């Protein structure tokens, strides 16, 4: 679809429909919302005109109240502002639903990157045998996380889904009803959700979207491409809520077991629904009895799980295959495609639905082993460590840990965290017994800085009584900071050479999963250096893994915005060279990315196919993959180094954190009740950069509309190359190296979402004006140079619909951004009353909801 047609389609199917349906908001059943529908467009225009005239958010709000309302006291003003926030929140939902409904009109579902296009290209190029060979083993693993970048509760997600379907049918009456429903449906949590609440919310996507879309993809590959029996699921689901302990004190072993049980229940419910539908068609003699028996067994598992015999994947497949065989033999294969479809889903999802990952910080494991040793000695039992253990070298410590033969119980611990860590390892065994090994088989070590950190986890499994010769768990290191990424080669080489670990990998089919984190990498080292460091680490780790006969699988911890590894994800994977292992694509999907990429059946299927196609194409059409040549690597290294130095200098600015705390909602993330975990690591009263989580860090820059982590340092690095007379080298790099081009494209997205007039008033501040100007100068420089580099006149010029969507969303939330800045300013007043302070704090946190939700297309 060319640019002109794409824009025309977007205008007809999205912009125009939004204008029409937005008019229905005037009748929303809000309490006391009189005139808000009429006044909001006036406020929006006041914001647009005001920022063009150089006014501050405070001037804009004050003048709006003075000129267009009778509000003459602070209480009434705050009340009005809350109504505007409520109204705009629902406008964002409407826009989400309209974009969902228009997805197949705006996107080419069978175009480039789809499985149909992949098949056709392989067919015409004589590559079908290679395509089939790759499909027998290649997988995409999508891991859903509950990181707090999405603010819609489950009931609102349901409305978005239903509203989108009604809009697609142009069912005006139903649309009107849903919009009224939106008006009286709460958008925020009155209390902080638990990890279990987060898990249940995410399961909505599993049951309503991914179960069907992944099943459709499997059916297509199985029937249209392979035409043979196949055990490869193609797409696997992972799940972090209830298993991710890193920094979340509210996750415990009981929660992990409860989530695993709920995942099992959810998939059995899906099978039960499908069986009931299938039963209406399979009314043939003999078959009807078999399917009735299976229906009854699933019913018992759903509604009386504690009293029924737990059905397992193998048994389900045996019974479905028996039904299939009878239909083929005696009933002309009628409805065989529906039977196969259910068999395929059972093959993919088993009785686990999504595999729970356990994640914990390496420093916790060190403390737990010390706690176990101290507790055993206190109980007059034999300890597991010598008294001088803390002073020993890493090699000596590993030798001691590998010699440990003790088996413990959770009671052989003292601290709460040690007890839970041990119980979580016991819980993994229980989940594997309940849901199968796929139910929970990965233990991820955050902040992994040494081979010792890996062996500590290995030792904990041994202490908990696991058969270490057949340990059915993958131990996964997570390397995030620039320094950790540099050290990864030495750590993995040491482990690959360690006889005990070699035996473990042999039992795990000679495969090692390594997780690489974009979020903290960017926070630590800046956008360009973090991405380049991760690319280099992948090349190096691929090389040493191949040397030792190990298949390395890279698991990318990606967020929504480009600064957290997001952006056009499929383009990122398509840009990987031959020197990077291409066994699987594994990535986290979180927050608004889940809604934007997997919120509907069509968008989920489209984006999953794009990921599959990106990975498969890299092998099937390997001749199209250009490895980064030595001279380009040198240039990327230089660019990364310069940007890293610039970013580090910026981080050391004395006003760096105070600036964020003063002018962004950074301090209010923990008050928003959007997630079960704290907004920062550690318990220190004073915020330090190292304890700051990546999500509030990136999110705060986003709500300032400055998006620093997505471009800072890029412009200076490009300028230095230009000053050195190397601009043509950089242009060649952009034109010939897909990896670099993808980074620049994604950085453009971060810049397009920036809006400096919102905070231009800060430049007059004596304390904070210099840092605002520093950021603005780097933004201006980066924008000018990336446009020159790309040959474009506008940011994201080549993604016309993506650009249009971002600009439309930013326009919708402009009053919200203005209200948030106004509220933050009011909170700084010395004369503010406690009641006003409470209300303005609520206004800040409530405005966060719509601003972040509107950024769903950051993925």
């Amino acid at each position: 679809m060319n640019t002109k047609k794409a824009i025309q389609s977007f205008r007809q199917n999205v912009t125009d429909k939004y204008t029409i349906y937005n008019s229905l908001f005037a009748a929303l059943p809000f309490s006391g919302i009189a005139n808000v529908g009429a006044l909001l467009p006036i406020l929006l225009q006041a914001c647009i005109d005001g920022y063009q005239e150089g006014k501050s958010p405070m001037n804009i709000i004050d003048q709006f109240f003075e000129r267009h309302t009778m509000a003459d006291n602070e209480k009434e003003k705050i009340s009005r502002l809350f109504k505007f926030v409520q109204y705009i929140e629902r406008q964002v939902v409407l826009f989400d639903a309209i974009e969902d409904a228009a997805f197949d009109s705006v996107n080419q579902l069978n175009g480039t990157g789809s499985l149909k296009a992949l098949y056709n290209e392989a067919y015409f190029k004589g590559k079908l045998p290679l395509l089939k060979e790759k499909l027998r083993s290649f997988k995409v693993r999508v891991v859903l996380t509950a990181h707090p970048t999405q603010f819609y509760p489950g009931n609102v997600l349901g409305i978005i889904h239903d509203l989108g379907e009604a809009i697609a049918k142009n069912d005006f009456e139903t649309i009107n009803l849903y919009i009224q429903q939106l008006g009286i449906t709460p958008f925020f949590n009155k209390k902080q959700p638990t990890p279990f609440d987060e898990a249940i919310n995410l399961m909505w996507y599993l049951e309503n979207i991914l179960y069907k879309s992944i099943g459709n993809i499997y059916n297509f590959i199985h029937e249209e491409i392979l035409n043979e029996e196949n055990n490869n699921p193609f797409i696997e689901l992972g799940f972090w809520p209830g298993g991710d302990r890193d920094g979340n004190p509210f996750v415990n072993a009981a929660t992990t077991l409860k989530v695993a049980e709920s995942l099992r229940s959810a998939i059995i419910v899906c099978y039960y629904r499908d069986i009931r539908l299938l039963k209406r068609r399979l009314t043939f003699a003999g078959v009807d009895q078999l399917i009735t028996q299976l229906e009854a067994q699933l019913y018992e598992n759903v509604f009386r799980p504690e009293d029924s015999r737990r059905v397992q994947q193998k048994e389900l497949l045996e019974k479905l295959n028996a039904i299939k065989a009878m239909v083929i033999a005696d009933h002309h294969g009628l409805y065989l495609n529906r039977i196969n479809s259910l068999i395929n889903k059972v093959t993919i999802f088993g009785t686990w639905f999504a595999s729970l990952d356990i994640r914990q910080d390496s420093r916790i494991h060190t403390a737990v082993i010390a706690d176990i040793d101290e507790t055993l000695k206190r109980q007059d039992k034999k300890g597991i460590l010598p008294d001088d253990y803390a002073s020993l070298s890493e090699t000596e410590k590993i030798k001691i840990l590998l010699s440990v033969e003790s088996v413990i119980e959770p009671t052989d611990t003292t601290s709460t965290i040690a007890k839970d860590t041990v119980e979580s390892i016991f819980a993994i065994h229980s989940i594997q017994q309940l849901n199968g090994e796929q139910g929970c088989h990965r233990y991820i070590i955050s902040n992994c800085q040494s081979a010792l950190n890996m062996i500590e986890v290995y030792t904990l499994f041994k202490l908990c009584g696991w058969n270490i010769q057949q340990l059915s768990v993958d131990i996964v290191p997570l390397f995030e900071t620039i320094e950790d990424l540099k050290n990864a080669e030495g750590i993995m080489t040491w482990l690959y050479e360690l006889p005990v670990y070699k035996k473990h990998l042999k039992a795990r089919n000679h495969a090692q999963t390594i997780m690489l984190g974009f979020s903290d990498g960017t926070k630590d080292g800046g956008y360009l250096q973090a991405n380049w460091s991760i690319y280099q680490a992948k090349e190096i780790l691929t090389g040493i893994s191949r040397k030792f006969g190990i298949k390395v699988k890279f698991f990318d911890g990606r967020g929504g915005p480009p600064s957290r590894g997001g952006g056009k994800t499929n383009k990122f994977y398509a840009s990987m060279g031959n020197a990077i292992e291409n066994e699987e694509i594994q990535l986290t999907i979180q927050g608004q990315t889940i809604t934007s990429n997997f919120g509907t059946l069509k968008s989920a299927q489209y984006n999953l196919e794009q990921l599959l196609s990106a990975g498969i194409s890299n092998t099937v059409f390997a001749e199209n993959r250009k490895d980064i040549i030595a001279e380009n690597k040198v240039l990327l290294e230089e660019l990364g180094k310069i940007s890293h130095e610039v970013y580090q200098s910026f981080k050391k600015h004395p006003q760096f954190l105070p600036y964020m705390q003063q002018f962004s909602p950074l301090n209010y993330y923990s008050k928003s009740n959007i997630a079960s975990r704290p907004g920062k690591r550690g318990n220190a009263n004073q915020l330090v950069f190292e304890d700051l989580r990546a999500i509030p860090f990136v999110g705060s820059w986003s709500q300032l509309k400055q998006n620093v982590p997505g471009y800072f340092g890029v412009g200076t690095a490009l300028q230095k190359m230009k000053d050195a007379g190397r601009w043509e080298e950089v242009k060649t790099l952009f034109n010939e190296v897909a990896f670099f081009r993808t980074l620049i494209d994604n950085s453009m997205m971060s810049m397009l979402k920036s809006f400096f007039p919102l905070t231009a008033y800060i430049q007059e501040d004596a304390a904070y004006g210099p840092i605002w100007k520093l950021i603005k100068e780097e933004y201006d420089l980066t924008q000018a140079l990336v446009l020159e580099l790309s040959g474009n006149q506008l940011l994201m010029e080549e993604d016309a619909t993506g650009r249009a969507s971002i600009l439309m969303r930013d326009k919708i939330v402009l009053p919200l951004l203005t209200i948030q800045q106004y509220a933050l300013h009011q909170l700084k007043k010395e004369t503010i009353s406690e009641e006003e302070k409470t209300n303005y704090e609520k206004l800040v946190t409530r405005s966060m909801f719509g601003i972040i939700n509107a950024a769903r297309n950051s993925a």
Side-chain angles (χ1 to χ4, degrees):
M1 190 182 296
N2 63 41
T3 300
K4 188 175 180 180
K5 283 186 177 179
I7 288 293
Q8 185 178 4
S9 177
F10 187 86
R11 186 179 298 117
Q12 289 175 348
N13 294 288
V14 180
T15 309
D16 291 350
K17 282 192 175 182
Y18 176 76
T19 302
I20 294 167
Y21 294 130
N22 188 39
S23 64
L24 297 176
F25 274 88
L28 277 177
F30 285 123
S31 172
I33 199 167
N35 297 326
V36 170
L39 284 172
L40 185 56
I42 298 173
L43 175 58
L44 173 59
Q45 194 59 48
C47 292
I48 294 170
D49 295 340
Y51 290 124
Q52 285 180 344
E53 295 165 12
K55 293 178 181 176
S56 71
M58 289 63 73
N59 293 148
I60 292 168
I61 295 294
D62 286 340
Q63 288 179 11
F64 169 79
F65 277 120
E66 183 181 325
R67 295 175 182 176
H68 302 288
T69 75
M70 301 294 288
D72 57 0
N73 61 70
E74 205 72 10
K75 188 173 182 179
E76 192 174 344
K77 286 181 180 179
I78 291 172
S79 176
R80 292 258 186 169
L81 291 174
F82 266 113
K83 296 303 178 186
F84 286 133
V85 170
Q86 286 180 300
Y87 200 101
I88 297 167
E89 281 177 334
R90 285 152 178 83
Q91 286 183 313
V92 172
V93 169
L94 175 63
F95 194 79
D96 286 347
I98 290 170
E99 276 206 319
D100 287 346
F103 190 87
D104 54 344
S105 300
V106 175
N107 297 277
Q108 291 181 290
L109 300 188
N110 294 319
T112 303
S114 69
L115 288 175
K116 283 187 177 179
L118 179 67
Y119 175 83
N120 289 335
E121 186 178 1
Y123 177 82
F124 286 112
K125 290 184 177 180
K127 296 287 186 78
L128 274 184
L130 193 55
L131 173 60
K132 291 182 179 183
E133 181 184 341
K134 187 65 178 176
L135 279 168
R136 292 185 187 105
S137 61
F138 185 79
K139 287 185 287 193
V140 167
R141 186 185 187 92
V142 170
V143 181
L144 303 186
T145 78
H147 289 343
T149 57
Q150 169 59 255
F151 302 90
Y152 292 138
N155 52 7
V156 175
L157 289 173
I159 296 171
I160 294 174
H161 181 267
D162 296 342
L163 183 57
E165 289 190 342
I167 289 169
K169 298 173 185 174
N170 291 314
D171 184 348
F172 193 85
E173 186 176 342
T174 304
I175 293 167
N176 193 28
L177 283 172
Y178 288 153
I179 285 177
Q180 290 187 54
Q181 183 185 352
L182 270 179
I184 52 178
T185 298
F187 267 49
F188 64 100
N189 301 309
K190 291 185 178 179
K191 62 178 183 178
Q192 190 175 37
T194 67
F196 185 70
D197 293 334
E198 292 171 331
I200 294 301
N201 281 340
L202 274 189
M203 283 182 206
W204 186 91
Y205 292 97
L206 297 181
E207 295 179 70
N208 294 283
I209 305 296
L210 293 168
Y211 176 75
K212 298 172 185 176
S213 57
I214 292 174
N216 291 341
I217 290 172
Y218 189 104
N219 292 343
F220 177 82
I221 295 174
H222 194 265
E223 295 167 10
E224 302 296 328
I225 302 179
L226 288 182
N227 296 311
E228 62 185 38
E229 290 298 320
N230 172 70
N231 293 319
N232 181 25
F234 309 122
I235 299 169
E236 294 179 330
L237 293 174
F239 207 71
W240 273 20
D244 180 11
R245 288 156 165 73
D246 179 26
N248 189 338
F250 306 112
V251 174
N252 56 38
T255 303
T256 302
L257 289 168
K258 193 175 178 183
V259 170
E261 178 69 52
S262 296
L263 285 166
R264 176 190 170 85
S265 177
I267 191 59
I268 297 298
V269 166
C270 289
Y271 296 154
Y272 176 68
R273 289 172 181 160
D274 277 2
I275 281 289
R276 292 199 65 181
L277 291 172
L278 198 55
K279 184 182 176 184
R280 295 172 64 178
R281 305 278 77 85
L282 301 183
T283 52
F284 326 131
V287 176
D288 56 345
Q289 294 180 12
L290 291 178
I291 202 164
T292 297
Q293 291 169 8
L294 184 53
E295 178 196 19
Q297 187 175 8
L298 290 172
Y299 178 90
E300 292 294 318
N301 270 248
V302 170
F303 296 106
R304 287 194 283 270
E306 298 301 324
D307 301 323
S308 62
R309 182 175 60 80
R310 301 297 183 93
V311 66
Q312 296 297 329
Q313 181 192 35
K314 183 180 177 182
E315 183 183 357
L316 283 172
L317 289 173
E318 285 174 352
K319 292 187 174 182
L320 286 169
N321 279 311
I323 290 169
K324 175 180 174 179
M326 187 176 290
V327 168
I328 292 172
D330 303 331
H331 304 290
H332 314 292
L334 202 59
Y335 298 117
L336 187 60
N337 60 330
R338 294 196 184 188
I339 301 170
N340 281 332
S341 179
L342 184 51
I343 289 173
N344 292 342
K345 287 172 181 172
V346 176
T347 301
I348 300 166
F349 303 115
T351 53
W352 55 85
F353 212 161
S355 183
L356 263 175
D357 285 345
I358 306 298
R359 183 170 76 129
Q360 184 56 281
D361 190 286
S362 63
R363 291 163 290 194
I364 298 295
H365 304 132
T366 304
V368 169
I369 287 174
D371 183 282
I372 291 169
D373 178 60
E374 292 170 12
T375 305
L376 290 173
K377 288 174 180 175
R378 198 179 301 117
Q379 295 172 349
D380 295 325
K381 296 178 182 177
K382 184 181 178 183
I384 58 173
L385 305 175
D387 293 339
D388 63 344
Y389 178 80
S391 64
L392 299 178
S393 69
E394 181 182 339
T395 303
E396 290 171 321
K397 287 178 179 178
I398 288 174
K399 188 175 179 181
I400 287 166
L401 291 179
L402 292 177
S403 68
V404 170
E405 296 296 338
S406 304
V407 175
I408 65 166
E409 297 293 334
T411 51
D412 293 325
T413 56
T414 301
S415 70
T416 302
I417 190 67
K419 185 172 184 290
D420 179 68
T421 302
V422 170
E423 286 181 341
S424 72
I425 293 174
F426 281 101
I428 296 172
H429 184 267
S430 298
I431 293 168
Q432 290 193 357
Q433 295 301 305
L434 175 71
N435 294 349
E437 183 181 317
Q438 285 291 98
C440 187
H441 63 95
R442 307 203 307 183
Y443 197 110
I444 299 165
I445 306 169
S446 293
N447 192 41
C448 188
Q449 298 183 338
S450 66
L452 175 61
N453 292 156
M454 296 280 284
I455 298 304
E456 285 171 334
V457 171
Y458 181 86
T459 301
L460 284 170
F461 275 92
K462 188 160 61 167
L463 283 166
C464 292
W466 283 69
N467 179 356
I468 216 67
Q469 303 302 321
Q470 296 178 320
L471 179 60
S472 55
V473 176
D474 298 316
I475 301 173
V476 181
L478 168 51
F479 303 116
E480 291 190 87
T481 66
I482 304 301
E483 191 65 27
D484 290 346
L485 290 165
K486 287 179 182 176
N487 296 334
E489 178 185 8
I491 292 170
M492 296 315 301
T493 300
W494 205 95
L495 285 166
Y496 288 158
E497 290 176 340
L498 187 66
V500 168
Y501 199 74
K502 284 168 73 174
K503 283 184 181 178
H504 167 62
L505 290 180
K506 183 179 179 181
R508 302 304 291 163
N509 297 316
H510 300 284
Q512 172 69 56
T513 300
I514 297 175
M515 187 173 182
L516 303 167
F518 282 81
S519 296
D520 281 320
T522 304
K523 173 179 157 259
D524 173 58
Y527 176 72
L528 198 56
Q529 183 61 46
N531 279 276
W532 176 234
S533 294
I534 288 170
Y535 190 97
Q536 286 180 300
K538 284 186 174 182
E539 279 199 338
I540 292 168
L541 292 169
T542 296
I544 64 166
S545 298
R546 287 174 177 171
K547 176 183 172 183
F548 286 96
I550 303 299
K551 280 285 187 183
V552 66
K553 301 175 181 180
F554 293 115
F555 176 25
D556 293 319
R558 307 177 72 88
S563 53
R564 294 184 52 236
K568 300 298 181 183
T569 308
N570 59 306
K571 288 187 177 181
F572 171 82
Y573 285 110
S575 73
M576 298 292 101
N578 291 298
I580 291 177
E581 192 64 79
N582 189 33
E583 183 73 10
E584 292 185 15
I585 285 177
Q586 299 188 16
L587 72 163
T588 55
I589 305 288
Q590 51 193 254
Q592 74 271 26
T593 315
I594 298 173
T595 305
S596 61
N597 281 6
F598 305 98
T600 68
L601 286 171
K602 288 177 180 176
S603 64
Q605 188 163 335
Y606 173 84
N607 286 298
L608 288 169
E609 286 192 22
Q610 291 285 321
L611 282 173
L612 264 174
S613 183
I616 292 169
S617 295
N618 281 341
T619 298
V620 176
F621 309 111
E623 68 275 10
N624 298 332
R625 290 174 77 187
K626 289 187 178 180
D627 286 333
I628 303 177
I629 60 175
E631 61 190 63
N632 285 338
K633 287 184 178 180
V634 171
L635 184 53
L636 280 165
E637 185 69 32
E638 291 182 68
L639 287 166
K641 184 180 178 183
I642 296 166
S643 69
H644 183 251
E645 289 170 354
V646 172
Y647 181 71
Q648 294 305 315
S649 175
F650 177 55
K651 281 200 310 184
K652 290 174 184 174
H653 193 291
Q655 301 292 4
F656 180 80
L657 274 182
Y659 175 82
M660 294 183 70
Q661 290 177 295
Q662 282 288 316
F663 299 104
S664 84
L666 179 65
N667 292 338
Y668 298 91
Y669 265 80
S670 59
K671 299 179 180 181
S672 60
N673 289 336
I674 58 175
S676 67
R677 70 182 192 166
K680 66 182 183 71
R681 294 178 172 90
N683 298 314
N685 290 327
Q686 186 173 353
L687 181 65
V688 294
F689 183 80
E690 288 70 26
D691 288 342
L692 182 58
R693 288 189 175 277
I695 289 166
F697 176 71
V698 172
S700 295
W701 286 117
S702 173
Q703 290 180 65
L704 269 173
K705 300 302 283 182
Q706 293 179 345
N707 288 317
V708 162
Y711 61 82
F712 200 91
V714 175
T716 299
L718 292 175
Q719 185 64 53
K720 291 216 171 180
M721 290 296 128
K722 196 171 188 180
D723 293 342
R726 301 177 65 185
W727 188 242
E728 288 304 315
E729 287 181 56
V730 178
K731 287 173 73 174
T732 300
L733 185 72
F734 179 82
N735 291 325
E736 295 185 359
V737 178
F739 169 74
F740 182 62
R741 189 163 58 251
T742 300
L743 288 187
I744 297 298
D745 286 347
N746 285 337
S747 192
M748 286 190 191
M749 182 188 289
S750 291
M751 287 187 283
L752 181 63
K753 291 188 173 189
S754 300
F755 183 68
F756 279 85
L758 176 73
T759 53
Y761 70 95
I762 301 173
Q763 63 187 310
E764 305 302 326
D765 189 288
Y768 298 104
I771 192 170
W772 186 92
K773 290 174 184 175
L774 178 67
I775 297 167
K776 181 64 163 58
E777 286 168 5
E778 183 66 20
Y779 172 86
D780 289 341
L781 178 64
T782 306
Q783 178 180 233
L785 289 175
V786 298
L787 287 175
E788 183 181 347
L789 189 61
S790 63
N792 293 333
Q793 299 297 312
L794 301 168
L795 294 171
M796 288 184 68
E797 185 177 306
E798 294 176 8
D799 181 8
T801 57
R803 175 182 167 84
S805 176
I806 288 170
L807 293 178
M808 187 71 182
R809 288 173 177 276
D810 280 356
K811 182 178 179 182
I812 292 170
V813 297
L814 187 58
L816 263 188
L817 293 160
T818 307
I819 290 168
Q820 185 182 80
Q821 282 294 311
Y822 176 82
L824 286 166
H825 183 267
Q826 297 299 99
L827 284 166
K828 296 172 194 169
K829 288 186 174 179
E830 294 180 3
T831 56
I832 191 170
S833 69
E834 280 302 313
E835 182 183 2
E836 287 173 354
K837 181 182 177 184
T838 300
N839 286 330
Y840 277 121
E841 284 182 343
K842 286 180 181 178
L843 199 56
V844 170
T845 56
R846 283 300 302 277
S847 62
M848 288 167 62
F849 291 21
I851 295 167
I852 293 290
N853 286 336
R856 73 188 298 210
N857 53 2
S858 59

